[in-house]
């Protein structure tokens, strides 16, 4: 047990993903509070203190200033020696700004990937990158510790002097509670899903779970599925995830591939869907931290296909637990899909190794590393 420490996890619209790690820290004796933009239902169900603040994922000077002031108002009421740990791009920037002059707050943050502006090289993104670097340098003195999820992001911050070397560390991923994936799945529910989705059990099943954002490689997946059909391989292709307002590809674009890919929209039964699948595909060219979906698929023992991008290559080792593919290359993805589906022995090796590799990202390891960071901060 540790002496009582006040710890706040700060995020945005998916801050409920911090519930699992919160429970671990509660067992260690921490007082936990979560701040985000989700409804409070999930937090009440898990007996975790929760507060909402105003936040928009999109850039807007007025809304961003409002978010910072709203957050500052919340933080001013917190007790002395409170650690606030922020996740995701905007919260990790807002937190240092909102806590300027607040001596009761220690600022910790996890850089969960570099995002869209580091994905495509164009004039707009080059300008935004310069702004990003200026902002990061300006808030550097107010950050007590920075955690990176992959070495590529850590290297970028170091090269551009955006974080202090003695106040930063790479801790790969936000962790995954492997115990949640070791429990038995209701086979009757899975069989019902197989029937509902018209899964041909004589064929391999591919699945992609993601927000329907262009940079996640959604169209590459759709086009590759069509190519597989055209070459005579009628595998089952599932696509799962919500349309994401302005960032999303259009529903009509997805429906144009309806003869080849079954689009399911947002689902809550991801574990069951993974259990009926054989191979997980993530053709992203988005600057990820460490994609949680790859860890969940690994924990379920799926073979993996993803790109040689920061975060993704930390999970997938080519020819060990899956295959690395070329960015925005549906032909390359198609060939790797066929290779994995048609080489049963290889696929079984990938699936076995996926379960071994994911142990590196076990939530208990992440908790231990975070705990050591909090002790270093010295509240």
């Amino acid at each position: 047990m540790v002496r009582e420490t006040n710890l706040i996890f700060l995020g945005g619209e998916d801050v409920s993903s911090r519930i699992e790690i919160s429970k671990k820290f509660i067992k260690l004796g921490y007082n936990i509070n979560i701040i985000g933009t989700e409804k409070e239902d999930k937090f009440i169900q898990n007996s975790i203190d929760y507060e909402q603040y105003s936040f928009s994922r999109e850039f807007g000077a007025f809304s961003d200033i409002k978010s910072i002031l709203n957050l500052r108002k919340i933080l001013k009421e917190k007790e002395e020696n409170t650690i606030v740990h922020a996740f995701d791009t905007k919260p990790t920037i807002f937190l240092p700004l909102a806590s300027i002059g607040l001596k009761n707050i220690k600022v910790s943050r996890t850089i969960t990937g570099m995002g869209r502006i580091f994905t495509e090289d164009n004039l707009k993104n080059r300008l935004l990158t310069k702004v990003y670097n200026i902002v990061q340098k300006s808030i550097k003195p107010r950050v007590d510790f920075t955690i990176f999820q992959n070495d590529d992001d850590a290297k970028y911050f170091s090269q551009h002097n955006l974080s202090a070397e003695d106040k930063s560390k790479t801790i790969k991923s936000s962790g995954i509670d492997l115990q949640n994936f070791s429990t038995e799945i209701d086979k009757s529910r899975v069989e019902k899903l197989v029937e509902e989705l018209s899964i041909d059990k004589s064929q391999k099943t591919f699945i992609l779970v993601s927000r329907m954002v262009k940079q996640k490689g959604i169209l590459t997946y759709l086009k590759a599925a069509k190519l597989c059909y055209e070459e005579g391989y009628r595998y089952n292709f599932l696509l799962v995830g919500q349309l994401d307002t302005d960032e999303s590809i259009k529903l009509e674009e997805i429906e144009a591939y309806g003869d080849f890919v079954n689009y399911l929209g947002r689902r809550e039964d991801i574990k069951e869907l993974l259990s009926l699948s054989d191979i997980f595909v993530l053709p992203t060219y988005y600057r990820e931290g460490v994609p949680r979906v790859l860890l969940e698929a690994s924990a379920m023992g799926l073979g993996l296909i993803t790109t040689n991008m920061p975060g993704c290559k930390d999970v997938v080792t080519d020819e060990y637990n899956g295959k690395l593919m070329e960015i925005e290359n549906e032909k390359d993805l198609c060939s790797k899909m066929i290779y994995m589906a048609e080489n049963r022995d290889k696929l079984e090796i990938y699936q076995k190794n996926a379960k071994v590799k994911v142990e590196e990202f076990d939530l208990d390891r992440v908790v231990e590393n975070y705990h050591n960071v909090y002790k270093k901060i010295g509240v």
Side-chain angles (χ1 to χ4, degrees), residues 194-209:
V194 168
E195 184 177 350
E196 172 194 326
L197 301 176
S198 300
I199 299 291
D200 181 354
K201 297 177 75 171
S202 69
Q203 298 286 348
K204 297 299 182 187
T205 298
F206 292 82
I207 186 170
L208 166 56
V209 180

Side-chain angles (χ1 to χ4, degrees), residues 305-332:
I305 302 177
T306 192
T307 49
N308 191 29
M309 288 290 290
C312 297
K313 63 185 180 182
D314 290 87
V315 180
V316 179
T317 302
D318 197 56
E319 281 297 313
Y320 175 71
N321 56 345
K323 297 292 293 180
L324 293 175
M325 59 164 287
E326 297 176 7
I327 291 170
E328 291 189 276
N329 189 333
E330 61 268 18
K331 290 183 179 179
D332 185 50

Side-chain angles (χ1 to χ4, degrees), residues 3-16:
R3 67 186 181 86
E4 208 168 73
T5 301
N6 299 308
L7 174 61
I8 297 172
F9 289 124
L10 171 68
E13 58 193 21
D14 61 350
V15 74
S16 59

